[in-house]
């Protein structure tokens, strides 16, 4: 299972170093996105992260989360649970992402949000207005958390540009449906490793809406990993960061039962 590079988990936990010798002239925008999507990933991953939500008034809210994921081949499962502060502790989000087949067909993801204060779990749609809503008050959306299927976009290589000293392909991605809140985005993909460095999202008026920046890269077990992400809403002046730590790849102790609604509701994920 190779997730889209635009999902939250695979931005935090990027793929292994994947050098290529092909020149920019030999690659199309689609080729670059496809290669980025095919970068090898760990079969399992776990980490903790600090989530900072910065308001336009300059106030910061700090959240701590646990993240775990496991690749089953035809489906990849991931769970995110908030541990602090007390008012959000135990809130969890469970995602099932399905493999896109050779014909470009892909089953919609399954997503559940558990709110302990309400003692209720609800399904979150993988498309439409609900998916474009804010994830837990951040500048990330539910759609950012899920897979963006390659077949649902048209691609164009706009050129090359450096991002924080890394030479990148600059690829325009336009939704074929044109119904999304941000139907166009520009991805900056590292030329040497095909890992996302930055993404600019444009709204339906084709005005810059949000900017995602991936930074503080490190290598763990051969996997190049962005340990910090920042999503800035340039229209509101707000931003959110996710800084990951305690990252462990390919461990054998992640139990399958953790990726269930029951595990969320019983508070088993720690």
């Amino acid at each position: 299972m190779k997730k889209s590079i635009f999902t939250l988990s695979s931005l935090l936990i990027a793929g292994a170093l994947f050098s290529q010798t092909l020149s920019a002239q030999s690659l199309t925008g689609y080729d670059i996105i496809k290669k980025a999507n095919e970068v090898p990933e760990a079969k399992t991953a776990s980490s903790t992260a600090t989530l900072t939500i910065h308001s336009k008034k300059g106030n910061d809210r700090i959240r701590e989360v646990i993240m775990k994921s496991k690749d089953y081949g035809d489906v990849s499962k991931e769970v995110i649970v908030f541990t602090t502060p007390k008012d959000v502790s135990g809130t969890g989000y469970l995602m099932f992402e399905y493999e896109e087949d050779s014909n470009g067909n892909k089953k919609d993801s399954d997503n559940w949000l558990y709110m302990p204060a309400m003692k209720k779990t609800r399904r979150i749609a993988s498309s439409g207005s609900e998916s474009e809503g804010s994830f837990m008050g951040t500048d990330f959306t539910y759609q950012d958390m899920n897979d963006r299927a390659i077949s649902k976009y048209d691609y164009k290589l706009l050129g090359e540009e450096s991002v924080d000293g890394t030479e990148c392909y600059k690829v325009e991605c336009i939704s074929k449906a044109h119904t999304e809140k941000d139907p166009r985005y520009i991805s900056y993909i590292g030329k040497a490793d095909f890992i996302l460095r930055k993404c600019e999202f444009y709204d339906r008026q084709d005005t810059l809406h949000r900017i995602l920046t991936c930074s503080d890269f490190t290598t763990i077990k051969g996997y190049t990993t962005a340990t910090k992400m920042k999503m800035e809403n340039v229209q509101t002046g707000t931003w959110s960061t996710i800084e990951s730590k305690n990252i462990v790849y390919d461990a054998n102790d992640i139990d399958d039962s953790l990726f269930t609604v029951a595990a969320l509701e019983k508070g088993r994920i720690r």
Side-chain angles (χ1 to χ4, degrees), residues 98-113:
Y98 300 95
E99 176 78 339
E100 188 171 348
D101 65 26
S102 58
N103 296 319
N105 299 314
K106 180 181 177 297
K107 180 182 175 181
D108 288 343
S109 61
D110 289 314
N111 313 288
W112 298 267
L113 177 67

Side-chain angles (χ1 to χ4, degrees), residues 173-208:
C173 313
I174 301 178
S175 170
K176 293 179 180 178
H178 302 289
T179 57
E180 298 178 10
K181 190 174 183 178
D182 295 330
R184 183 172 82 94
Y185 56 91
I186 297 175
S187 300
Y188 295 77
I189 309 293
K191 291 181 63 178
D193 55 18
F194 289 90
I195 291 174
L196 184 74
R197 257 60 183 191
K198 186 173 77 169
C199 193
E200 299 168 341
F201 297 87
Y202 291 79
D203 62 20
R204 291 174 184 171
Q205 287 71 47
D206 205 29
T207 301
L208 181 62

Side-chain angles (χ1 to χ4, degrees), residues 47-215:
S47 65
T48 60
T50 299
L51 173 59
T52 302
I53 306 170
H54 184 81
S55 74
K56 56 185 176 183
K57 293 182 178 180
N59 301 319
D60 289 344
R61 288 180 290 157
I62 309 298
R63 307 280 187 260
E64 298 291 335
V65 301
I66 295 172
M67 304 176 66
K68 295 181 183 294
S69 66
K70 193 169 187 177
D71 182 356
Y72 292 86
D74 58 343
V75 61
S76 182
K77 300 181 180 181
E78 180 173 359
V79 65
I80 301 173
V81 176
F82 288 74
T83 57
T84 62
K86 187 176 180 180
D87 62 334
V88 295
S89 179
T91 299
Y93 189 59
L94 176 64
M95 297 164 280
F96 289 4
E97 288 287 350
Y98 300 95
E99 176 78 339
E100 188 171 348
D101 65 26
S102 58
N103 296 319
N105 299 314
K106 180 181 177 297
K107 180 182 175 181
D108 288 343
S109 61
D110 289 314
N111 313 288
W112 298 267
L113 177 67
Y114 174 63
M115 306 291 286
M118 302 175 64
K119 296 183 179 180
K120 182 179 180 181
T121 300
R122 67 184 181 93
R123 295 289 293 265
I124 301 294
S126 60
S127 60
S129 59
E130 186 174 39
S131 70
E132 295 170 336
S134 167
F135 174 74
M136 294 299 295
T138 72
D139 295 287
F140 296 95
T141 67
Y142 286 102
Q143 187 178 46
D144 295 330
M145 311 293 286
N146 294 125
D147 185 14
R148 295 174 187 257
I150 291 180
S151 60
K152 293 184 178 181
Y153 293 82
D154 291 318
Y155 305 96
K156 181 180 180 180
L157 177 59
L158 300 180
E160 300 177 13
E161 190 170 320
S162 178
V163 176
D164 292 332
T166 299
E167 291 300 313
C168 295
Y169 296 115
K170 186 176 179 180
V171 181
E172 180 183 60
C173 313
I174 301 178
S175 170
K176 293 179 180 178
H178 302 289
T179 57
E180 298 178 10
K181 190 174 183 178
D182 295 330
R184 183 172 82 94
Y185 56 91
I186 297 175
S187 300
Y188 295 77
I189 309 293
K191 291 181 63 178
D193 55 18
F194 289 90
I195 291 174
L196 184 74
R197 257 60 183 191
K198 186 173 77 169
C199 193
E200 299 168 341
F201 297 87
Y202 291 79
D203 62 20
R204 291 174 184 171
Q205 287 71 47
D206 205 29
T207 301
L208 181 62
H209 182 199
R210 298 180 300 152
I211 301 175
L212 173 69
T213 305
C214 304
S215 62

